[in-house]
Amino acid sequence: MRIKICLIFVFMAFVAPGISQTHNCDVYRGYLSGDMEVWTRGIADQEKRFNISGNPDDLFVLVLSKYGYIGYLISMKREGEAKEIIDSAEKNVEKLSADRRYVSRASALSGALIAMRISLNPMRATYLGMRSFRQIEESLKLDQNDPAGWVEMGNARFHMPAIVGGSYSEAARCFSRAVELFEKNPAMLRCNWHYLHALVWLAKSHESMNNLKEAREIYEKLLRLEPDFQWVKTELYPALLKKVGEGDENDRL
């Protein structure tokens, strides 16, 4: 499965969130299986839902669903399609930011989409990078209890060069905080692909620091939660076990 979202993963918390706010089960099933037809069907259904309801909760789910798909398109080198969806998602974010409940999440999404533009054209990193980072910082200033900013900051710290603030340990701290916030609210866990993705990047942060025991425990947690999570089941977890097997297992685990 190649849903390797290149830089940013955004999520949210909201006082007494509704079911519609975090869930689109087609998108979730597409994430687990790696079947992009299921994912795109979820996006189309979510677009219809928002067009009928006009509900900011539905708009947020729509943008988040597009965001995940953009990452897939970038990983597949389908830059033209990715740019198209970034353009539409940015318009959605602008509309979302008009709702005061979503200001912090809109800021995180904005930073995420800017980072994705950098993925499409790395030559723009010099000036777009700081814009993206400032949007993520603003998200955390607006709401310290919103997983969106923490996931985004984790992704920024993971991917940035060390000379400008990149740090796997800081990334792990941010992803860990995001996971903690997700898990405090059971309503945020149903059909929530982004919760699983935050766990994946927490594991990858530990793996990058050679904390293989911690990474293994997180991958095993993911497989307990979703035994058929293909990216973890067929790629990430077997690769970690191979890495462990190449060294002294007793020392590492």
Side-chain angles (χ1 to χ4, degrees), residues 20 40 68 74 127-128 148 162 181 197 236:
S20 67
T40 55
I74 291 172
Y127 65 98
L128 285 185
L181 289 167
H197 221 116
L236 298 177

Side-chain angles (χ1 to χ4, degrees), residues 16-41:
I19 292 299
S20 67
Q21 186 186 22
T22 57
H23 310 319
N24 183 302
C25 289
D26 274 345
V27 169
Y28 184 75
R29 285 188 287 269
Y31 179 67
L32 291 178
S33 66
D35 187 334
M36 289 298 105
E37 287 187 17
V38 176
W39 190 300
T40 55
R41 184 169 68 239

Side-chain angles (χ1 to χ4, degrees), residues 3 20 29 64 75 88 108 110 147 157 161 225 233 244 246 252:
I3 309 176
S20 67
R29 285 188 287 269
L64 194 66
S75 73
S88 71
S110 177
R157 296 297 188 191
L225 290 168
K233 183 179 180 179
V244 169
E246 289 172 352
R252 293 188 177 194

